[in-house]
């Protein structure tokens, strides 16, 4: 007579993950940041799009003089700096989430996230340097390409 | 040894990838697609704007290559992606924090689509007139 296992017999314990919970609340803070920065970005980006694409001559007016005219004012420097940092952190965290969801192999995930973080650092550093070291009236440039206040 | 699990239990790809379908899933898909598209645009946008640091000529030359109908339509698509992502993002916040948010998530998606149509109706004619040379 064969013995049949008791259906209520305890199952062999599953191997436990090395850590039962993540350390700290990083993912929670990320979740809150996406919502808080999203609201601020809505205002910053809608304002950016209105001033650059709708007001005045719209997209046809964009040239060096237009950008220099804006960045001569600390108001637009701070606006664009905030937009750069918030949008890059928001976007990088969003793409990180998507990589975690779809890249199943550890190596692929590591490679994609390394490229993502490298792009983040390069773009944020470059953009920040450009906003702060920008000269609206570079010497030796033809005056018709520069904003009107350069010759005043 | 119970090593002969049916093939369906060991395949990596699930048989259906539609999750629950309908408005909830498709708005989530659209949020991801528009988000990734905006992110890659942003990388390029910071690089091209950085040309102002090289010289007025370098910046104006590259911007001049953008001033054609194909890029103008691309800008319209970019604005559409941003407007949807922005309004649907507000909807996500309301689903998360408003006590009645989950109950009205489907209604709120139709509000998002309505506001999207109104916003684009305000933006598109003016932008397309700039791009295609009208007044």
């Amino acid at each position: 007579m064969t013995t049949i296992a008791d259906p209520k017999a305890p199952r062999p314990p599953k191997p436990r993950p090395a850590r039962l919970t993540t350390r700290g609340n990083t993912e929670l803070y990320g979740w809150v940041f996406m919502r808080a920065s999203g609201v601020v970005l809505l205002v910053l980006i809608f304002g950016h799009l209105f001033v650059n694409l709708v007001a005045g001559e719209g997209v046809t007016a964009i040239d060096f003089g237009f950008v220099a005219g804006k960045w001569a004012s600390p108001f637009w420097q701070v606006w664009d700096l905030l937009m750069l940092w918030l949008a890059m952190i928001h976007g990088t965290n969003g793409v990180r989430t998507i990589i975690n969801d779809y890249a199943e192999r550890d190596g692929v995930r590591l490679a994609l996230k390394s490229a993502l973080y490298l792009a983040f650092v390069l773009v944020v550093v470059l953009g920040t340097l450009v906003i702060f070291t920008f000269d609206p009236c570079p010497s030796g440039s033809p005056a018709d390409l520069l904003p009107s206040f350069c010759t005043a | 040894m119970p090593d002969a699990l049916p093939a369906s239990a060991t395949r990596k790809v699930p048989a259906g990838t539609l999750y629950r379908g309908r408005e909830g899933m498709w708005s989530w898909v659209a949020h991801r697609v528009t988000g990734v598209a905006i992110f890659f645009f942003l990388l390029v946008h910071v690089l091209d704007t950085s040309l102002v640091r090289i010289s007025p000529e370098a910046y104006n030359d590259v911007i001049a290559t953008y001033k054609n109908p194909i890029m103008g339509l691309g800008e319209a698509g970019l604005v559409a992606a941003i407007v949807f992502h922005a309004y649907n993002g507000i909807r996500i916040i309301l689903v998360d924090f408003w006590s009645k948010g989950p109950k009205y998530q489907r209604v709120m998606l139709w509000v998002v689509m309505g506001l999207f149509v109104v916003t684009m109706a305000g933006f598109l004619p003016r932008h397309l007139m700039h791009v295609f040379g009208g007044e």
Side-chain angles (χ1 to χ4, degrees):
Chain A
M1 194 170 156
T2 48
T3 49
I4 299 171
D6 180 350
K8 287 178 183 167
R11 296 181 177 197
K14 286 184 183 172
R16 289 188 168 197
R19 282 188 281 133
L20 288 177
T21 57
T22 52
R23 251 172 280 165
N25 280 328
T26 318
E27 290 294 340
L28 171 67
Y29 301 142
W31 181 89
V32 171
F33 176 84
M34 291 309 266
R35 280 141 188 84
S37 62
V39 173
V40 179
L41 281 167
L42 189 153
V43 176
L44 291 176
I45 292 176
F46 275 36
H48 177 74
L49 291 175
F50 184 83
V51 169
N52 289 33
L53 296 184
V54 178
E57 299 300 307
V59 72
T60 57
I62 295 180
D63 58 12
F64 182 87
F66 178 87
V67 179
K70 278 182 83 179
W71 281 350
S73 146
F75 177 83
W76 287 114
Q77 283 188 316
V78 171
W79 186 291
D80 286 0
L81 187 75
L82 255 181
M83 201 161 54
L84 170 73
W85 279 75
L86 289 179
M88 281 303 293
I89 301 172
H90 185 106
T92 300
N93 193 44
V95 174
R96 179 189 70 93
T97 305
I98 291 175
I99 292 171
N100 281 341
D101 275 359
Y102 299 117
E104 291 185 19
R105 286 172 50 200
D106 287 352
V108 173
R109 214 163 50 239
L110 180 70
L112 288 175
K113 284 200 274 188
S114 301
L116 176 69
Y117 298 151
L118 180 68
F120 171 84
V121 171
L122 288 178
V123 168
V124 167
V125 168
L126 175 69
T128 304
L129 281 176
V130 167
I131 292 174
F132 281 123
T133 67
F134 175 66
D135 177 6
C137 307
S139 58
S141 291
D144 60 324
L145 297 183
L146 302 180
S148 54
F149 56 75
C150 289
T151 49
Chain B
M1 287 282 287
D3 57 351
L5 285 169
S8 62
T10 55
R11 324 199 307 210
K12 284 191 93 175
V13 181
T17 56
L18 265 182
Y19 190 45
R20 295 189 181 179
R22 300 194 55 120
E23 294 90 336
M25 190 198 79
W26 290 113
S27 63
W28 172 85
V29 169
H31 204 75
R32 291 200 151 188
V33 171
T34 52
V36 170
I38 296 163
F39 182 72
F40 281 103
F41 163 78
L42 175 60
L43 300 182
V44 178
H45 185 52
V46 174
L47 293 181
D48 62 34
T49 305
S50 296
L51 291 170
V52 295
R53 193 64 187 78
I54 296 177
S55 75
E57 291 87 348
Y59 182 76
N60 287 353
D61 286 352
V62 170
I63 292 301
T65 67
Y66 292 174
K67 290 178 180 174
N68 63 66
I70 292 171
M71 294 303 277
L73 293 175
E75 287 150 7
L78 173 74
V79 170
I82 290 170
V83 170
F84 173 81
H85 197 88
Y87 292 165
N88 191 56
I90 298 296
R91 171 177 162 269
I92 291 172
I93 293 173
L94 288 172
V95 170
D96 287 341
F97 290 108
W98 179 34
S99 59
K100 291 180 180 163
K103 183 179 167 190
Y104 292 117
Q105 63 90 8
R106 190 167 295 163
V107 180
M108 285 196 291
L109 182 63
W110 296 112
V111 175
V112 165
M113 297 312 287
L115 291 173
F116 172 85
V117 169
V118 169
T119 308
M120 292 309 287
F123 171 75
L124 273 185
R126 186 158 176 83
H127 180 66
L128 294 179
M129 275 190 280
H130 288 140
V131 169
F132 291 97
E135 284 306 315

